[in-house]
Amino acid sequence: FYWRYLSPDDRQEISTYQMYGRVACFKGFDAASFAFNTHADPDIFERQFDLMRRLVAEEIDCYCYATFTSQTDVELDAAMHIFVDRLQQIHHNLPLRTIPLRIEQFSPIESRLNTYRSKALIVQESAISAWNNELTHRFSSAERELAIDRVPIAKL
């Protein structure tokens, strides 16, 4: 909608508007986790990166969160490595502006929990650990300790 209904001048005004920010969600760390989390075609996983690339290119103050639930933890470290690579292809610092969204068991979802959804809550803990390992290897402790709104994301 952003590119369909707003003119280039409208988008320029938004990108330079003081205190405007945009939050987006990556609904998985690979195509399989995306399909699990959304019940959508796994091919749509790629679209998330395309949209975020376009938003960052507009120089909008972007932030992300990511859902790390999945049915399996097979090759999890490799999948997370690739996911963080993909974020850094958009902008080197984008992982520092991305927060894992921890899904927890609470009363509204308890009735929908089954074996594979319960396992997904366990897998997410391993995925968050893999995420943290990736950030530790890619960024200094000073960079990781920056407040999320202080992480630079302007054009390199």
Side-chain angles (χ1 to χ4, degrees):
F1 294 106
Y2 185 78
W3 293 276
R4 184 182 305 165
Y5 296 109
L6 298 178
S7 71
D9 288 342
D10 293 335
R11 294 193 316 267
Q12 175 64 29
E13 182 176 348
I14 288 171
S15 70
T16 59
Y17 196 83
Q18 188 175 3
M19 303 298 289
Y20 177 80
R22 182 92 179 239
V23 178
C25 179
F26 287 91
K27 298 189 181 334
F29 52 86
D30 62 11
S33 65
F34 172 84
F36 172 75
N37 288 316
T38 63
H39 302 284
D41 186 321
D43 291 339
I44 299 172
F45 175 71
E46 297 299 319
R47 182 89 171 114
Q48 300 175 111
F49 295 97
D50 296 337
L51 291 171
M52 182 52 64
R53 185 175 292 103
R54 290 177 74 187
L55 288 168
V56 170
E58 296 266 338
E59 296 191 357
I60 293 176
D61 191 20
C62 292
Y63 303 88
C64 305
Y65 57 96
T67 304
F68 288 161
T69 50
S70 179
Q71 288 181 296
T72 180
D73 59 2
V74 174
E75 300 291 329
L76 181 60
D77 291 334
M80 192 59 69
H81 181 86
I82 292 167
F83 178 70
V84 178
D85 280 350
R86 301 284 310 275
L87 294 176
Q88 286 193 301
Q89 288 170 2
I90 297 169
H91 191 285
H92 176 77
N93 290 337
L94 189 57
L96 294 174
R97 283 187 166 224
T98 304
I99 298 173
L101 175 65
R102 181 175 267 115
I103 307 299
E104 297 185 11
Q105 184 175 336
F106 61 103
S107 56
I109 68 164
E110 284 177 355
S111 65
R112 293 182 282 167
L113 281 179
N114 54 29
T115 303
Y116 75 97
R117 287 186 177 142
S118 293
K119 181 177 180 181
L121 296 179
I122 295 167
V123 170
Q124 103 177 309
E125 296 306 319
S126 298
I128 291 170
S129 178
W131 167 262
N132 288 330
N133 288 338
E134 285 296 325
L135 295 190
T136 298
H137 289 102
R138 294 169 191 247
F139 298 100
S140 70
S141 59
E143 289 170 314
R144 293 189 319 271
E145 291 170 6
L146 281 173
I148 194 169
D149 64 319
R150 299 290 184 234
V151 174
I153 198 156
K155 285 186 180 176
L156 295 175

